[in-house]
Amino acid sequence: MKSEAHVAAQASQLRAALNRAAHQYYTLDAPELPDAEYDKLFQQLQALEAAHPELRTPDSPTQRVGGTVLDGFTPVRHAVPMLSIRTETDTTPAGAEKFDQQVRNYLAAEQRRTELKTTDPRHRATPLGPDATAVLAGAPVGYVAEPKFDGLAISLRYENGVLVQAATRGDGETGEDVTQNIRTIRQIPLTLHAGKAAEFAVPPLLEVRGEVYMRRDDFEALNERMRERLAAGDKGAKTFVNPRNAAAGAVRQLDPAIAAQRPLSFFAYGLGEVTPAADGGPDFTSHWQVMQTLKSWGFPVSELIRQAQAASDLIAYHADIAAQRDALPFDIDGVVYKVDSLALQRELGFVSREPRWAVAHKYPAQEQLTTVQAIDIQVGRTGKLTPVAKLAPVFVGGVTVTNATLHNELEARRKDVRVGDTVIVRRAGDVIPEVVSVLPDKRAPGAPEFTMPTHCPVCGSDVVREEGEADHRCTGGLFCGAQRKQALLHFASRRALDIEGLGDKLVEQLVDGGVVKVLPDVYKLGLTSLAALDRMADKSAQNLLDALQKSKQTTLARFLYALGIRHVGETTAKDVARHFGQLDAIMGASVDQLLQVPDVGPVVAESIHTFFAQPHNREVVEQLRAAGVTWNEGEPVANAVLPLTGKTFVLTGTLPTLSRDDAKALLEAQGAKVAGSVSKKTSYVVAGEEAGSKLDKARELGVPVLDEAGMQALLAGLG
């Protein structure tokens, strides 16, 4: 059994940790502790204080909302305290059922106290009202359900319809005057007018409570601007961890001009001090009525707010918003249920710092703390190298996470993630988990910075990062085991070697089964080995073997394209093949020589040169040649001017005898360029049946139009 001193010390440590986290969250706007971790510590302190009431202190986080007035802002005393609501951490449907039952249980207890008719001040002398009586008789409790926005709580004070003050929550009793900054938010009305649908006139005194937040797209745009400023050497710029942090930082800027540069939004969700009905104020009877009136007075109210009857509706709402959560334009971490009847709210009252008539029903935390045990490098099927943080297992976003992407070296270095670090990990919906930020205070001394390897961890080929790109890539495309499936599928594609029957599922079997380890192995396949594969009968196997044999006779351009060289598409492959005429000349070409090819720029030239500089790739090419893959080679036409050089053709519709590819090949063989759209620079449009908008465009621009016979006649006349 723990001693009293040990329990007191534990409570003191929890209070210190929670107060530090609250200071970072509310005052410094630089949170280091995820919400889920804060909630866990808070619940531990609540349990300790419940078991040992003598340990509960006035400054305990369980007795106050959190936050202090920042130097430079004028304190604002809230006439109606801005207290927080209780959080239901059970993220299952049982959380909604539990709240509904708690409401009923409290009303039943109050009814029993009334029936005691004692003079004990703990027992109420006034009978319950009609709304409570109806609930006790079996009627469902009416609720309003709304998203739990992840932003900064604000109180807006209007006098005679004019905004006179805006204040943060602060510690719940006293906040900060941020009126000038709030005026920069265009969604917040500066003057109020009751619309035609308004049930009540705007009262002389009105305090509206709501949430200032930043939309996700605005947050991404803001961070992108910050990254550009950092890249330009602006030491005053900084990126933000999340939209809530960015919104809070904007609201609590001492310079309103800076706040105005940050795009903020607002949702109203309740009231503070209001002129009483007896003095001419609105006679509200329900929270739903309040929200509809606020909307009619010009305040933005979330379209996701719903009325609900009983726990079953709350459960359905929780599930519905969860399904939309990742697609919403703003962050939420749960939903809020409020008893709709204001009379019933008054009878339920408050307990400690929280109303009994409201609860926040959370979703599984999307952020958690864990440690980085290692940083591995994954090689994707296109050769992209991705650093991946291997994590101590942590439950986040509804699943246990052990890996988180660091995206690329630049991102890993920007976040400064190192092995051994304590990090915040985020997972939203089906999004790949990622490291959001590092807690540098917890880093071990001497932890080395992360650097990307210079050689592929799978095949040992050189790793390169092209100028202007963030990603590193393995250059051993044809040889690298990680890229084998992608390389084989591309090699067999219709515009490459056109190996009919060699599709996704078969390639997966061949590679996973170790039958094809390098690309040339595909030409070593036999009838027996193929027929043994799943869903591959003798006839299918023979058809594939026939297709493989047929594919051996190809063209230099097709073969070059089939190799899957980065940045080398079908057109570039044709240009390079035509320019050099022979594969050996291409393989031995320098970057400067490759730059002599029309339309080949520095990036493409460097990519081709780097590809053939890898011994692995040259070996694969030689093995393919040895397997019988061949093509007709000719003299280079680097300096030759073909009859249709400089002419641009556009093909549209269905030609009588030629496929689109065949017609394109005939034109390109004479030096023509075949484009996909019609412009003033188009020389001819070749139109077949069912030609559409391209033909209309050609007629509009006066571009000559040929049918298939006209094109053939033009080609025949070239001599």
Side-chain angles (χ1 to χ4, degrees), residues 612-632:
F612 286 117
Q614 296 298 311
H616 302 315
N617 292 336
R618 298 176 74 94
E619 176 63 24
V620 169
V621 169
E622 293 308 318
Q623 288 183 26
L624 288 169
R625 279 172 152 174
V629 180
T630 186
W631 52 86
N632 292 326

Side-chain angles (χ1 to χ4, degrees), residues 623-670:
Q623 288 183 26
L624 288 169
R625 279 172 152 174
V629 180
T630 186
W631 52 86
N632 292 326
E633 292 194 332
E635 293 300 317
V637 291
N639 301 315
V641 178
L642 296 172
L644 295 180
T645 297
K647 301 292 185 182
T648 301
F649 285 69
V650 172
L651 302 171
T652 182
T654 303
L655 300 178
T657 65
L658 292 173
S659 69
R660 187 79 61 88
D661 287 343
D662 289 340
K664 184 178 180 182
L666 289 173
L667 291 167
E668 289 179 337
Q670 297 299 324

Side-chain angles (χ1 to χ4, degrees), residues 235-419:
K235 295 182 179 180
K238 72 167 186 175
T239 57
F240 296 90
V241 174
N242 52 47
R244 190 267 166 202
N245 186 26
V251 168
R252 304 175 74 246
Q253 275 288 333
L254 291 175
D255 183 357
I258 296 177
Q261 295 171 9
R262 299 186 187 173
L264 298 177
S265 300
F266 175 79
F267 277 131
Y269 59 59
L271 294 175
E273 186 180 16
V274 184
T275 301
D279 296 331
D283 187 16
F284 293 122
T285 59
S286 71
H287 180 65
W288 180 259
Q289 187 182 42
V290 169
M291 299 310 295
Q292 300 312 302
T293 301
L294 288 177
K295 188 187 297 184
S296 71
W297 288 345
F299 291 97
V301 173
S302 173
E303 296 298 325
L304 297 174
I305 291 180
R306 300 283 186 273
Q307 287 180 293
Q309 295 292 328
S312 58
D313 284 352
L314 299 183
I315 292 170
Y317 182 81
H318 188 265
D320 180 42
I321 299 301
Q324 301 181 54
R325 183 183 185 186
D326 296 329
L328 292 176
F330 46 79
D331 282 353
I332 63 171
D333 59 1
V335 294
V336 174
Y337 311 137
K338 297 176 181 175
V339 171
D340 192 20
S341 165
L342 299 185
L344 200 51
Q345 285 188 14
R346 289 189 289 271
E347 291 187 296
L348 288 165
F350 293 78
V351 56
S352 183
R353 62 200 281 277
E354 301 160 343
R356 291 190 181 92
W357 44 265
V359 72
H361 191 185
K362 287 207 169 186
Y363 294 121
Q366 292 182 308
E367 292 186 356
Q368 288 283 14
L369 281 181
T370 188
T371 55
V372 178
Q373 298 178 326
I375 298 178
D376 290 350
I377 302 297
Q378 289 185 353
V379 184
R381 63 177 190 170
T382 62
K384 175 185 173 183
L385 272 63
T386 301
V388 176
K390 311 298 286 187
L391 307 171
V394 60
F395 192 76
V396 56
V399 300
T400 298
V401 169
T402 57
N403 298 321
T405 180
L406 298 176
H407 298 291
N408 52 56
E409 184 183 43
L410 296 179
E411 187 71 3
R413 297 289 290 273
R414 184 180 69 80
K415 293 177 178 176
D416 194 19
V417 181
R418 308 185 190 187
V419 175

Side-chain angles (χ1 to χ4, degrees), residues 46-365:
Q46 275 185 318
L48 273 181
E49 291 181 348
H52 304 275
E54 70 277 9
L55 297 178
R56 188 179 294 124
T57 61
D59 67 339
S60 172
T62 63
Q63 303 304 302
R64 59 199 293 271
V65 175
T68 57
V69 177
L70 192 69
D71 290 344
F73 289 108
T74 302
V76 174
R77 184 79 175 177
H78 298 301
V80 176
M82 293 184 70
L83 300 180
S84 62
I85 59 177
R86 181 174 64 85
T87 297
E88 176 53 65
T89 55
D90 184 344
T91 60
T92 70
E97 295 173 331
K98 189 187 300 183
F99 173 59
D100 181 66
Q101 192 59 52
Q102 286 169 344
V103 170
R104 293 175 175 280
N105 289 346
Y106 181 77
L107 292 175
E110 288 298 286
Q111 178 68 18
R112 288 194 295 272
R113 291 190 184 99
T114 301
E115 293 169 353
L116 289 175
K117 298 184 183 296
T118 70
T119 59
D120 190 327
R122 291 175 300 174
H123 300 157
R124 64 191 301 146
T126 306
L128 295 175
D131 289 352
T133 302
V135 170
L136 291 172
V141 180
Y143 296 102
V144 173
E146 56 197 48
K148 184 177 182 297
F149 308 110
D150 195 9
L152 187 72
I154 291 290
S155 180
L156 307 175
R157 185 179 180 88
Y158 291 81
E159 295 178 1
N160 298 316
V162 178
L163 177 66
V164 296
Q165 188 178 73
T168 62
R169 183 201 299 269
D171 63 3
E173 298 289 341
T174 303
E176 304 158 348
D177 188 331
V178 290
T179 309
Q180 295 307 312
N181 290 344
I182 290 302
R183 287 177 179 274
T184 68
I185 303 174
R186 294 183 179 276
Q187 282 186 309
I188 294 178
L190 300 182
T191 56
L192 302 180
H193 302 282
K196 294 181 181 179
E199 186 176 354
F200 299 103
V202 178
L205 174 61
L206 172 71
E207 279 188 3
V208 175
R209 303 282 166 80
E211 198 88 357
V212 171
Y213 67 97
M214 188 174 289
R215 289 172 54 94
R216 289 172 177 168
D217 53 356
D218 288 334
F219 171 71
E220 293 299 333
L222 173 63
N223 262 354
E224 182 60 31
R225 292 197 299 273
M226 291 298 107
R227 283 190 283 267
E228 290 175 357
R229 286 173 54 185
L230 285 168
D234 184 351
K235 295 182 179 180
K238 72 167 186 175
T239 57
F240 296 90
V241 174
N242 52 47
R244 190 267 166 202
N245 186 26
V251 168
R252 304 175 74 246
Q253 275 288 333
L254 291 175
D255 183 357
I258 296 177
Q261 295 171 9
R262 299 186 187 173
L264 298 177
S265 300
F266 175 79
F267 277 131
Y269 59 59
L271 294 175
E273 186 180 16
V274 184
T275 301
D279 296 331
D283 187 16
F284 293 122
T285 59
S286 71
H287 180 65
W288 180 259
Q289 187 182 42
V290 169
M291 299 310 295
Q292 300 312 302
T293 301
L294 288 177
K295 188 187 297 184
S296 71
W297 288 345
F299 291 97
V301 173
S302 173
E303 296 298 325
L304 297 174
I305 291 180
R306 300 283 186 273
Q307 287 180 293
Q309 295 292 328
S312 58
D313 284 352
L314 299 183
I315 292 170
Y317 182 81
H318 188 265
D320 180 42
I321 299 301
Q324 301 181 54
R325 183 183 185 186
D326 296 329
L328 292 176
F330 46 79
D331 282 353
I332 63 171
D333 59 1
V335 294
V336 174
Y337 311 137
K338 297 176 181 175
V339 171
D340 192 20
S341 165
L342 299 185
L344 200 51
Q345 285 188 14
R346 289 189 289 271
E347 291 187 296
L348 288 165
F350 293 78
V351 56
S352 183
R353 62 200 281 277
E354 301 160 343
R356 291 190 181 92
W357 44 265
V359 72
H361 191 185
K362 287 207 169 186
Y363 294 121

